[in-house]
Amino acid sequence: MANTSRSGSTPSPARFGFSDAGRAEEQLRAAGWWSDSGPVAEPVVAALSRAPDPDLALHSLDRLREAVGPAWSELSGLLAEDVGLRGRLFAVLGTSTTFADHLVAHPEDWRRLCSDRFRERTLDGYTSVLLDAVHADRADGAPGTPAGPVATVCGTEAVSALRGAYRGLLLEIAGRDVGRVVEPALPTAAYEQVAAALSDAAVAALRAALAVAVAESGFGEDDPFPRLAVIAMGKCGGCELNYVSDVDVVFVAETEDDLGAATRLASLLMRIAGASFFEIDAALRPEGKAGALVRTLDGHLNYFRRWARTWEFQALLKARPVAGDEDLGARYHAAVQPLVWTAGEREGFVGDVQAMRRRVEDHVPADIAERELKLGRGGLRDVEFAVQLLQMVHGRSDESLRQAPTLEALLALGDGGYVARADAADLVDSYCFLRRLEHRLQLQKLRRTHLFPDFDDAEVLHVVARALGLRSSGRTSAGQALVAEFRRHLNRVRRLHEKLFYRPLLEAVAKVPTEALRLTTRAATERLAALGFLSPEGALRHIQSLTSGMSRRASIQGTLLPMLLDLLATTPDPDGGLLAYRKVSEALAETPWYLRLLRDEGVVAERLALLLGTAKLVPELLVRAPEVLRLLSDTPALAERDQEEAATSLRSAVGRYSDPGRAAAAARSLRRHELLRIACADLLGLMEPTEVFRGLSNIWAAVLESALDVSMRTIAAQHGGPPPARIAVIGMGRLGGGELGYGSDADVLFVCEPTEDADEQLAVRYATAVVEQVRRLLGAPSQDPPLEVDIDLRPEGRQGPLVRTLDSYLTYYDRWGEVWEAQALLRARPVAGDRELGERFRTAIDPVRYPVGGLDEDKVREIRRIKARVDSERLPRGADPATHTKLGRGGLADVEWTLQLLQLRHAHDLPALRTPSTVEGLRVAAEAGLLDEQDAAELTEAWTLAMRVRNAVMLVRGKPDDQLPKKVRELSAVGAALGYPQGVDSGAVVDDYLRVTRHARSVVERVFYEF
């Protein structure tokens, strides 16, 4: 592999990545790896070139060569033959100056990296090495117990021996960790394997320090040996320790009598470990640094039960006994774990954890915040806090989540469906990257650091990147690739942290008592009854159906249902809501995002529970328009969509179909989507009533427009030519006024006009065929609310032709039109078809509906007579006139006829009164002095309330009805749909309706009948 220049000169070490070629050649020659003709040991030099920092690796080898003296020839020979030794030694020396110093001070330790001796040690193996370093006697008991090993070396000699032995163990772990960077054939050491090994080495260090502490303590007959357990916390407790870190511990004594001796032993342990290995941090003990260093088990439990704060239970997630009295440690662990898994019930638990994370983040100095890979935004703490919060909320009922290591807990959350598989995989990937990066930074000088190098420090970035296995490619250097990867992982972690950590579902689930998450059948039935389910046995069957089996779907349902049951219990019909939820879940079982959306977007679950427990129309539409579920998390998309935009979108989508049946199906589908969207926004109180009416009217008009368009095209194609007529659709009644409800028919007139060269009779026949097809397409049976096109308001009623020309309409109204027909035309406006023709129709009928001079007394009496007849004959048998929204006292008809009489009498002289809108007409009438302001307000309130009640009944029952319900549960649901707060007596709905309509009726009697 010798490299030569173009001139054929001697190869330079610079070709192997050494920056100081002269010094490198000198050191390579001294090692026996370079001659005048180039590299002698080419595999060795090539391996050196792959070290993270080739110059550092070679310089450290040169120091090691001098330190080992005559043994260099053995080491040099093995480096040429032993790929494992070569990879591990060069990678460590090319990464860490501290390990180079260690090897110079302990020249024989290079042998630890030889393949014939290299192995993955167990905890017992690490412990034996360290105990041997202080010549501890072999014993059957655990270190720190009366029958345990006791060191025979103490003081500074013990500290020196332990420090050297511990560094040697870290050297082995580092060799396995980074060796593959130099020699890719070596096995990969996964992050979790390295972290577990570092944790085992730390536990072994604690045990060895105990053996020395016992030797120095002088316990004897006059000073009995205390029973002391050492509990690892934090990363050591979670088996995910760094190379350099404080080790968090808690000390537990058996009895009050043991406290004095146990405190002395614990203090000795902390001093010896701090001098030999790492700092011992006991600040996680009760009361922190202000509290006693050692407490009894009862003392710990009393504190946790009475005084502990939320973060202290969070810290206990990773608690595990590691040294000292094993039985005492096991009892401590068994006693505190139940406290951990009920801490999620504490008042404000989720908010406390979230606030703690924000405080940690706020304390990061601004000048290093973007380089802080542990505490900063998107750093390791973001992953750990999110995982721990999810564990403590959901782990109360799911023991599979009770894992101390972050990665194991994260994988369990993904397997259990609490976190999306893709999100869990992304977090695992990013967490491992950040932890490996943290390890590489600490390896450099074996110092505790979590700070990413300065983004402008190309030299350091280059070395760290190579230590992670990144290489230059194309125009991107290894350092630039590292910065890009670092930022990518931070951004991904922060996005997922915010998604999971601030998930509203956590608040809702945390409020469910722990015992409610693990109920027996009988207890579950009792709890369901207590929540307000009238048929708890039936509800339990629904729950069992949703959660049965071992599927991921069942697991997610098991997570959602405790919270959903509590939410449904606050709705008017919990039983109906749960049944609807089951039906929706079964219908959407194969929709991959359905349960994921409910789990990840808590607001969706909350809103869905309210909708399902209130309105039967919602689940009926939802199973055929599930995409609306996505909108529940996006209030603007749900409630603020431009109504004209929605109608235009529908017309555009349907216009792509040439087949009438497919076009009608597309129109129904899009109408269903809009109908459900508006219904959801309405029930959630996110849309004003006038916007609801206008939205429903606009979508009806768009459906008519689409059906008319495809029918005109298909009928014209059957005639073999262009359409012989223009057709306009005139909205009448509430469609004309832009005031439709959910169950309203569309009252329309169809007007046509021959095209330039067409015969009038042919045009009428063509238009009639078109109208018949429109009515047939839209009137076909469907599971959706019906699309009835009502043309009974046409001249001659049901006996008249379906379509007339404009001249024919005008001739009829001029010769035979009656006053009620003029009244019906007050709300006529073009809603679909030929706009120009529709506008000409509207202008042409103005003299009919706005007669010059208003109405004479005979016509006024005729209108009153017709109204009285409607009141007495049209009210359905058995209907209550006090609560019938359409024809009852103070209802829709009363208000509309009152305004229309004013319009017929005064709109000719008051152009502003020429509006098809009831609400707008009442406002103008008040401004013009035709109505008292108070009277207009009472009529407007009654009309709006009657429309809202009518809509609410349709939503609640799933079918149209003009009567206010009498059943308490239905009446409560109507109240909820109207926005009454939870818990209000359903009678208040009736009382309010009667009060408002009574006031309106008194106005009607004064204005309509006594005008």
Side-chain angles (χ1 to χ4, degrees):
M1 182 179 153
N3 292 293
T4 58
S5 65
R6 290 181 181 178
S7 62
S9 59
T10 302
S12 167
R15 294 296 184 90
F16 289 89
F18 300 104
S19 58
D20 187 340
R23 182 183 182 189
E25 182 174 340
E26 179 182 340
Q27 291 172 335
L28 288 169
R29 285 180 180 274
W33 297 335
W34 198 269
S35 68
D36 291 341
S37 59
V40 174
E42 186 172 331
V44 175
V45 179
L48 273 171
S49 74
R50 294 191 293 270
D53 185 343
D55 292 294
L56 176 62
L58 180 56
H59 176 65
S60 298
L61 271 170
D62 193 56
R63 294 176 59 206
L64 179 58
R65 177 183 61 78
E66 294 178 351
V68 299
W72 173 251
S73 59
E74 179 189 3
L75 172 57
S76 178
L78 285 174
L79 286 173
E81 299 171 0
D82 187 341
V83 173
L85 170 64
R86 188 166 65 222
R88 289 184 281 268
L89 183 61
F90 288 1
V92 167
L93 294 179
T95 302
S96 173
T97 56
T98 303
F99 277 128
D101 292 341
H102 172 79
L103 285 168
V104 170
H106 302 80
E108 287 298 303
D109 267 9
W110 64 265
R111 299 183 185 277
R112 292 174 177 267
L113 304 180
C114 292
S115 297
D116 61 348
R117 293 180 54 181
F118 193 80
R119 61 190 181 280
E120 294 186 21
R121 296 183 188 271
T122 63
L123 172 57
D124 288 341
Y126 289 121
T127 304
S128 294
V129 170
L130 294 176
L131 289 175
D132 288 345
V134 289
H135 305 295
D137 58 332
R138 294 299 178 183
D140 295 331
T145 63
V150 179
T152 58
V153 176
C154 297
T156 57
E157 184 182 353
V159 168
S160 178
L162 288 175
R163 183 188 299 120
Y166 185 69
R167 283 284 173 89
L169 295 177
L170 291 186
L171 174 67
E172 294 177 10
I173 296 171
R176 184 163 75 249
D177 186 10
V178 296
R180 196 169 184 271
V181 171
V182 170
E183 291 293 352
L186 294 180
T188 300
Y191 148 71
E192 53 268 39
Q193 294 174 318
V194 174
L198 290 168
S199 302
D200 283 348
V203 170
L206 291 172
R207 294 177 178 181
L210 263 179
V212 176
V214 169
E216 295 183 1
S217 65
F219 293 121
E221 292 182 2
D222 296 332
D223 193 1
F225 203 102
R227 293 188 66 182
L228 174 72
V230 182
I231 311 298
M233 310 284 281
K235 283 186 167 55
C236 186
C239 299
E240 48 193 8
L241 200 64
N242 305 325
Y243 280 98
V244 186
S245 175
D246 291 349
V247 172
D248 297 303
V249 301
V250 167
F251 297 106
V252 186
E254 173 69 14
T255 66
E256 295 284 345
D257 293 339
D258 284 334
L259 286 178
T263 300
R264 190 164 80 251
L265 184 59
S267 299
L268 281 170
L269 164 65
M270 293 178 67
R271 179 182 61 77
I272 294 165
S276 306
F277 315 120
F278 38 67
E279 291 298 317
I280 298 289
D281 189 343
L284 291 179
R285 65 186 184 268
E287 301 181 68
K289 293 181 180 179
L293 180 62
V294 184
R295 288 179 185 243
T296 64
L297 175 55
D298 287 341
H300 279 278
L301 295 179
N302 288 335
Y303 174 83
F304 288 130
R305 288 168 181 157
R306 299 181 63 186
W307 311 110
R309 290 168 289 176
T310 296
W311 69 264
E312 293 177 280
F313 293 103
Q314 186 179 353
L316 287 174
L317 264 173
K318 296 185 184 297
R320 67 178 174 116
V322 294
D325 191 289
E326 295 177 353
D327 175 69
L328 178 58
R331 284 192 283 121
Y332 173 89
H333 187 262
V336 300
Q337 284 306 293
L339 302 178
V340 174
W341 302 113
T342 56
E345 294 179 12
R346 292 163 63 93
E347 184 70 26
F349 166 77
V350 173
D352 285 349
V353 178
Q354 292 170 340
M356 190 192 322
R357 173 62 188 122
R358 287 191 291 269
R359 286 195 297 273
V360 170
E361 188 177 311
D362 290 343
H363 280 82
V364 178
D367 59 331
I368 63 169
E370 64 176 344
R371 296 192 291 122
E372 173 56 70
L373 63 86
K374 178 180 178 181
L375 304 178
R377 293 172 59 86
L380 295 167
R381 281 291 187 268
D382 269 0
V383 180
E384 292 161 357
F385 266 77
V387 169
Q388 290 165 19
L389 180 56
L390 287 165
Q391 280 183 279
M392 296 184 75
V393 170
H394 298 297
R396 295 177 296 156
S397 60
D398 188 345
E399 294 186 5
S400 71
L401 303 183
R402 300 180 182 183
Q403 309 289 339
T406 300
L407 282 188
E408 289 184 19
L410 185 50
L411 292 171
L413 287 165
D415 291 341
Y418 304 96
V419 176
R421 282 195 177 97
D423 291 347
D426 284 347
L427 278 177
V428 166
D429 179 50
S430 292
Y431 187 72
C432 289
F433 173 83
L434 293 174
R435 290 303 307 273
R436 290 176 62 239
L437 173 58
E438 180 185 42
H439 285 175
R440 298 302 180 271
L441 293 172
Q442 292 186 347
L443 275 176
Q444 290 179 318
K445 296 183 179 180
L446 278 193
R447 290 180 182 172
R448 184 181 180 187
T449 181
H450 314 287
L451 193 63
F452 190 79
D454 193 295
F455 295 129
D456 295 328
D457 194 337
E459 184 176 342
V460 173
L461 287 171
H462 179 78
V463 173
V464 176
R466 286 171 60 91
L468 282 167
L470 299 176
R471 292 292 186 265
S472 303
S473 61
R475 298 181 179 179
T476 303
S477 69
Q480 291 170 331
L482 173 62
V483 171
E485 278 292 281
F486 176 63
R487 286 174 169 161
R488 180 177 72 86
H489 284 287
L490 288 188
N491 290 335
R492 181 162 74 178
V493 166
R494 189 61 182 187
R495 174 179 60 81
L496 293 174
H497 169 81
E498 291 177 346
K499 174 182 177 180
L500 300 174
F501 194 63
Y502 297 103
R503 181 188 287 173
L505 174 65
L506 287 169
E507 290 274 13
V509 174
K511 292 176 182 176
V512 180
T514 298
E515 62 271 14
L517 300 174
R518 304 189 292 261
L519 296 180
T520 63
T521 299
R522 179 177 177 181
T525 303
E526 292 173 354
R527 173 167 169 75
L528 289 167
L531 285 173
F533 286 84
L534 296 182
S535 176
E537 295 82 3
L540 190 57
R541 285 194 296 273
H542 297 320
I543 295 168
Q544 290 169 342
S545 174
L546 288 164
T547 58
S548 62
M550 303 298 292
S551 67
R552 182 178 177 82
R553 185 184 305 126
S555 176
I556 297 176
Q557 288 285 19
T559 303
L560 291 169
L561 275 167
M563 175 268 299
L564 284 170
L565 291 173
D566 274 14
L567 293 173
L568 287 169
T570 65
T571 67
D573 186 5
D575 297 84
L578 182 56
L579 173 60
Y581 178 72
R582 176 182 174 181
K583 290 180 176 178
V584 170
S585 295
E586 289 173 349
L588 303 183
E590 302 306 319
T591 302
W593 51 263
Y594 166 61
L595 289 177
R596 184 169 67 240
L597 179 71
L598 296 186
R599 178 197 61 205
D600 294 347
E601 301 288 349
V603 68
V604 175
E606 292 175 9
R607 288 177 168 179
L608 181 62
L610 173 62
L611 295 170
L612 296 182
T614 304
K616 290 183 180 178
L617 183 63
V618 168
E620 292 173 3
L621 294 173
L622 189 57
V623 295
R624 296 187 300 283
E627 64 279 359
V628 176
L629 267 176
R630 296 180 183 273
L631 303 182
L632 293 183
S633 65
D634 186 349
T635 296
L638 181 69
E640 299 172 17
R641 187 181 186 190
D642 183 80
Q643 307 286 11
E644 294 297 334
E645 177 193 344
T648 301
S649 176
L650 186 147
R651 289 191 294 266
S652 175
V654 176
R656 293 194 289 268
Y657 296 95
S658 58
D659 177 78
R662 295 183 66 189
R668 285 182 182 280
S669 175
L670 293 167
R671 181 215 179 210
R672 184 187 311 130
H673 179 283
E674 281 301 299
L675 195 63
L676 179 57
R677 179 186 68 81
I678 293 170
C680 291
D682 187 6
L683 285 163
L684 295 170
L686 303 174
M687 188 178 285
E688 292 297 323
T690 52
E691 285 298 299
V692 173
F693 309 150
R694 188 164 70 90
L696 294 171
S697 302
N698 285 348
I699 207 65
W700 232 125
V703 170
L704 279 169
E705 178 85 63
S706 301
L708 180 68
D709 177 63
V710 71
S711 296
M712 288 183 68
R713 285 187 276 119
T714 56
I715 299 298
Q718 293 172 12
H719 283 73
R726 292 186 290 274
I727 304 174
V729 184
I730 309 301
M732 305 289 283
R734 292 189 181 86
L735 176 61
E739 299 166 338
L740 282 184
Y742 293 106
S744 300
D745 296 341
D747 292 307
V748 298
L749 300 176
F750 290 96
V751 57
C752 72
E753 183 177 75
T755 55
E756 295 178 0
D757 300 326
D759 175 73
E760 182 173 313
Q761 291 184 346
L762 174 63
V764 172
R765 287 197 303 272
Y766 163 77
T768 300
V770 169
V771 170
E772 288 175 340
Q773 179 163 291
V774 168
R775 298 186 70 203
R776 184 171 63 253
L777 289 174
L778 298 183
S782 167
Q783 292 177 303
D784 295 332
L787 287 161
E788 294 294 335
V789 180
D790 190 337
I791 54 176
D792 288 351
L793 293 178
R794 67 187 187 275
E796 302 179 69
R798 296 180 181 179
Q799 306 305 314
L802 298 179
V803 188
R804 289 177 182 260
T805 64
L806 176 55
D807 289 341
S808 175
Y809 274 107
L810 296 179
T811 298
Y812 172 84
Y813 290 133
D814 182 53
R815 294 182 181 180
W816 299 291
E818 298 182 34
V819 67
W820 71 265
E821 291 177 300
Q823 181 184 352
L825 289 173
L826 286 170
R827 293 204 281 188
R829 71 178 175 96
V831 295
D834 190 286
R835 295 294 175 182
E836 190 272 336
L837 176 59
E839 289 299 327
R840 280 196 285 120
F841 178 90
R842 173 155 58 180
T843 302
I845 62 171
D846 278 355
V848 179
R849 55 184 177 170
Y850 311 131
V852 178
L855 296 181
D856 57 33
E857 286 304 314
D858 289 339
K859 289 183 178 179
V860 171
R861 281 194 296 273
E862 175 66 10
I863 288 176
R864 289 171 176 163
R865 184 190 65 79
I866 296 172
K867 176 68 167 65
R869 184 179 174 185
V870 168
D871 288 348
S872 62
E873 297 180 5
R874 296 280 297 281
L875 193 69
R877 180 178 298 177
D880 183 351
T883 57
H884 196 277
T885 59
K886 183 176 181 182
L887 301 175
R889 294 189 290 269
L892 298 174
D894 267 2
V895 177
E896 291 166 357
W897 282 64
T898 300
L899 172 65
Q900 290 160 13
L901 180 57
L902 293 175
Q903 288 177 308
L904 287 167
R905 299 191 65 163
H906 301 288
H908 179 269
D909 298 324
L910 292 172
L913 200 56
R914 301 175 186 179
T915 173
S917 165
T918 302
V919 173
E920 176 67 12
L922 290 170
R923 184 187 65 78
V924 174
E927 290 177 351
L930 301 177
L931 278 176
D932 180 80
E933 289 282 354
Q934 181 63 29
D935 289 348
E938 290 181 348
L939 290 176
T940 299
E941 183 182 10
W943 183 88
T944 303
L945 178 59
M947 280 290 294
R948 293 187 65 214
V949 168
R950 200 172 183 223
N951 275 352
V953 172
M954 173 68 178
L955 291 169
V956 168
R957 289 183 170 174
K959 57 185 179 181
D961 197 329
D962 295 315
Q963 190 75 56
L964 196 63
K966 294 183 179 179
K967 294 180 180 179
V968 173
R969 182 154 280 197
E970 283 191 341
L971 195 55
S972 296
V974 168
L978 293 173
Y980 281 78
Q982 178 190 348
V984 170
D985 187 347
S986 60
V989 179
V990 178
D991 292 344
D992 289 347
Y993 183 83
L994 293 175
R995 174 181 54 79
V996 171
T997 55
R998 184 172 62 250
H999 291 171
R1001 180 67 180 186
S1002 67
V1003 175
V1004 171
E1005 289 174 347
R1006 283 188 287 105
V1007 175
F1008 185 80
Y1009 289 107
E1010 299 178 11
F1011 192 85

